[in-house]
């Protein structure tokens, strides 16, 4: 009971941790080098997990449709979404970047309705308005002299953060479609119950249904590292040098490793697992608690001044997400 909800809460904590480490690393080495190294680390960790739980370091029982949809999810959620997210950390910090991730819940609900036929209520539209209101309370303020409305954060950072929220929401729904095809592919291989079947050669006797989200994350991660590597070489004439410089930065690599473990490895895999036990909307609602959870550690670790207005805006945004799925 409440398995999907508890997993989603674990994801919220996991993403809080990864956001803090990612902010430090992204400010030291930049978004693209961080994402390339982070994807490589997460793929290595996922390969070890799959090797121990399935006897194979790569995904088993997959077909072309599974790869297609999960690669699309990796392209949208990782390459676009994480590129925007980590750039938002550079410009506005992880605390504000995570605030905009509340946009992923309305995005997931809208795309889920269009692609999966998941229902939306009138409260969903009210929730969208409340979520946007919470964000506006945080980022908008008045000029002391003229009284006109102004942005309290850099516009570039805001645009990156919006892109991150939309990218994550779309990526989650694409992942759910991919995992539905994965389940069909497993059934076609003659496996009747993926929640009891344990592959031959597994060191840890976990059912395939438990390890399937990690395999799905690995497919998404493969698309992610390909996309980020191409972007690094295409967007920067010194992309190779930037990558070497990043690898030589020990503090950045330690933060990247921690971010990889709690982000693409644990957090994303658990987020996919949560959608197997509850609806996409409920999972995304609980996972959207990160903007509230991150306030205290961000203030303590980065010595940030937190105003009542910012806390209120974060709470209102999360309340809006909750309304979205009542």
């Amino acid at each position: 009971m409440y398995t999907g909800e508890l997993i989603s809460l674990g994801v919220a904590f996991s993403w809080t941790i990864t956001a803090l480490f990612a902010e430090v690393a992204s400010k030291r080495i930049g978004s693209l080098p961080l994402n390339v190294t982070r994807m490589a680390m997460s793929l290595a960790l996922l390969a070890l997990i799959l090797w121990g739980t399935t006897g194979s370091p790569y995904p088993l029982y997959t077909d072309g449709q599974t790869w297609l949809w999960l690669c699309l999810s990796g392209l949208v959620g990782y390459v676009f979404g994480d590129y925007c997210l980590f750039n938002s950390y550079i410009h506005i910090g992880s605390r504000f970047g995570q605030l905009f991730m509340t946009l992923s819940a309305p995005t997931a609900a809208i795309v889920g309705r269009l692609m999966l036929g998941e229902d939306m209520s009138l409260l969903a539209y009210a929730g969208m308005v409340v979520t946007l209101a919470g964000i506006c309370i945080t980022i908008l303020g008045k000029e002391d002299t003229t009284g006109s409305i102004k942005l309290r954060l850099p516009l570039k950072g805001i645009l990156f953060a919006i892109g991150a929220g939309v990218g994550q929401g779309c990526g989650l729904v694409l992942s759910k479609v991919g995992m539905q095809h994965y389940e069909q592919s497993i059934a076609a291989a003659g496996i009747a119950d993926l929640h009891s079947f344990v592959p031959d050669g597994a060191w840890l006797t976990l059912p395939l249904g438990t390890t399937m989200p990690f395999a799905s994350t690995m497919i998404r991660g493969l698309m992610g590292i390909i996309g980020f590597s191409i972007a690094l070489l295409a967007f920067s004439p010194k992309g190779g040098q930037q990558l070497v410089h990043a690898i030589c930065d020990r503090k950045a690599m330690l933060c990247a490793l921690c971010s990889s473990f709690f982000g693409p490895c644990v957090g994303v895999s658990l987020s996919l697992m949560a959608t197997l036990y509850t609806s996409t909307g409920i999972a995304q609602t609980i996972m959207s608690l990160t903007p509230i959870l991150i306030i205290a550690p961000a203030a303590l670790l980065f010595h940030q001044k937190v105003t009542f207005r910012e806390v209120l805006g974060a709470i209102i945004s999360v309340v809006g997400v909750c309304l979205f799925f009542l």
Side-chain angles (χ1 to χ4, degrees), residues 41-55:
M41 291 175 179
S42 66
L43 287 174
L45 291 170
L46 288 166
L48 288 174
I49 292 173
L50 290 178
W51 194 12
T53 56
T54 68

Side-chain angles (χ1 to χ4, degrees), residues 6-136:
L6 290 174
I7 293 173
S8 300
L9 184 59
V11 173
F13 280 102
S14 182
W15 281 347
T16 299
I17 296 171
T18 196
L20 297 169
F21 281 114
E23 178 178 348
V24 176
S26 60
K27 288 181 176 178
R28 292 181 67 90
I29 62 177
S31 173
L32 284 174
L34 172 60
N35 274 303
V36 171
T37 54
R38 185 170 171 257
M39 286 292 103
M41 291 175 179
S42 66
L43 287 174
L45 291 170
L46 288 166
L48 288 174
I49 292 173
L50 290 178
W51 194 12
T53 56
T54 68
S56 171
Y58 54 84
L60 297 175
Y61 311 111
T62 56
D63 61 6
Q65 287 292 314
T66 301
W67 277 86
L68 172 64
W69 286 101
L70 289 176
C71 282
L72 283 174
S73 173
L75 184 64
V76 174
Y78 277 157
V79 181
F80 175 74
D82 278 4
Y83 174 77
C84 289
L85 181 62
F86 290 169
N87 271 291
S88 76
Y89 289 170
I90 295 173
H91 296 285
I92 60 177
S94 59
R95 181 162 60 90
F96 291 112
Q98 284 298 314
L99 172 65
F100 281 88
M101 295 304 283
T102 55
L103 294 175
S104 63
T107 302
I110 294 171
V111 177
R113 177 174 177 79
L114 294 174
M115 295 186 62
L116 305 177
E118 295 181 343
D119 293 333
M120 286 177 58
S121 65
L122 291 176
L123 278 176
Y125 297 99
M128 184 184 299
V129 173
V130 173
T131 298
L132 293 174
I135 293 174
C136 290

Side-chain angles (χ1 to χ4, degrees), residues 7-313:
I7 293 173
S8 300
L9 184 59
V11 173
F13 280 102
S14 182
W15 281 347
T16 299
I17 296 171
T18 196
L20 297 169
F21 281 114
E23 178 178 348
V24 176
S26 60
K27 288 181 176 178
R28 292 181 67 90
I29 62 177
S31 173
L32 284 174
L34 172 60
N35 274 303
V36 171
T37 54
R38 185 170 171 257
M39 286 292 103
M41 291 175 179
S42 66
L43 287 174
L45 291 170
L46 288 166
L48 288 174
I49 292 173
L50 290 178
W51 194 12
T53 56
T54 68
S56 171
Y58 54 84
L60 297 175
Y61 311 111
T62 56
D63 61 6
Q65 287 292 314
T66 301
W67 277 86
L68 172 64
W69 286 101
L70 289 176
C71 282
L72 283 174
S73 173
L75 184 64
V76 174
Y78 277 157
V79 181
F80 175 74
D82 278 4
Y83 174 77
C84 289
L85 181 62
F86 290 169
N87 271 291
S88 76
Y89 289 170
I90 295 173
H91 296 285
I92 60 177
S94 59
R95 181 162 60 90
F96 291 112
Q98 284 298 314
L99 172 65
F100 281 88
M101 295 304 283
T102 55
L103 294 175
S104 63
T107 302
I110 294 171
V111 177
R113 177 174 177 79
L114 294 174
M115 295 186 62
L116 305 177
E118 295 181 343
D119 293 333
M120 286 177 58
S121 65
L122 291 176
L123 278 176
Y125 297 99
M128 184 184 299
V129 173
V130 173
T131 298
L132 293 174
I135 293 174
C136 290
I137 287 173
T138 302
I139 68 172
L140 297 179
K142 290 185 178 181
E143 291 277 7
D144 292 335
T145 54
T146 64
S148 59
I149 301 297
K150 68 169 185 176
L151 290 174
R152 301 176 63 242
L153 298 173
L155 177 60
K156 189 174 183 179
I158 291 173
L159 293 177
F160 274 127
I162 291 173
V166 172
Q168 188 189 39
C170 292
L172 183 65
V173 177
L174 290 170
S175 295
K176 187 162 187 174
V177 176
M179 292 181 70
Q180 288 174 347
H181 284 288
Y182 201 169
E183 290 179 342
Q184 295 171 7
S185 178
I186 292 171
I191 300 171
D193 186 3
L194 57 85
H195 294 293
S196 62
F197 175 78
V198 178
D200 294 334
W203 302 350
L204 301 173
T205 56
L206 295 176
L208 187 61
T210 302
T211 61
M212 188 175 69
F214 293 93
S216 300
T217 303
M218 188 174 202
I219 296 173
R220 297 180 75 221
L222 287 169
M223 184 70 248
I225 195 170
I226 292 171
F228 282 127
S229 298
I230 293 173
L232 179 63
L233 296 176
F235 294 162
S236 175
K238 297 182 179 180
Q241 295 180 16
Q242 290 179 353
L243 188 59
V244 171
H245 172 73
I247 295 172
C248 293
D249 190 323
R250 293 184 178 181
K251 183 175 181 180
M253 287 300 97
L254 177 60
C255 290
L257 178 60
C258 294
S259 177
S260 300
F261 178 76
F262 288 104
C265 185
V266 174
V268 175
S269 297
L270 290 180
S271 73
L272 299 185
M273 188 182 295
T275 63
L276 295 177
Y277 295 97
T278 187
S279 72
T280 303
I282 291 175
Q284 195 64 42
T285 297
I286 299 174
M287 287 186 272
S288 297
L289 290 173
T290 301
I292 295 176
L293 298 177
I294 201 173
I295 291 174
L300 291 173
L301 294 174
F302 303 137
H303 308 291
Q304 297 176 354
K305 182 181 178 181
V306 180
T307 66
F308 173 77
R309 183 192 189 106
E310 293 166 357
V311 175
L312 179 63

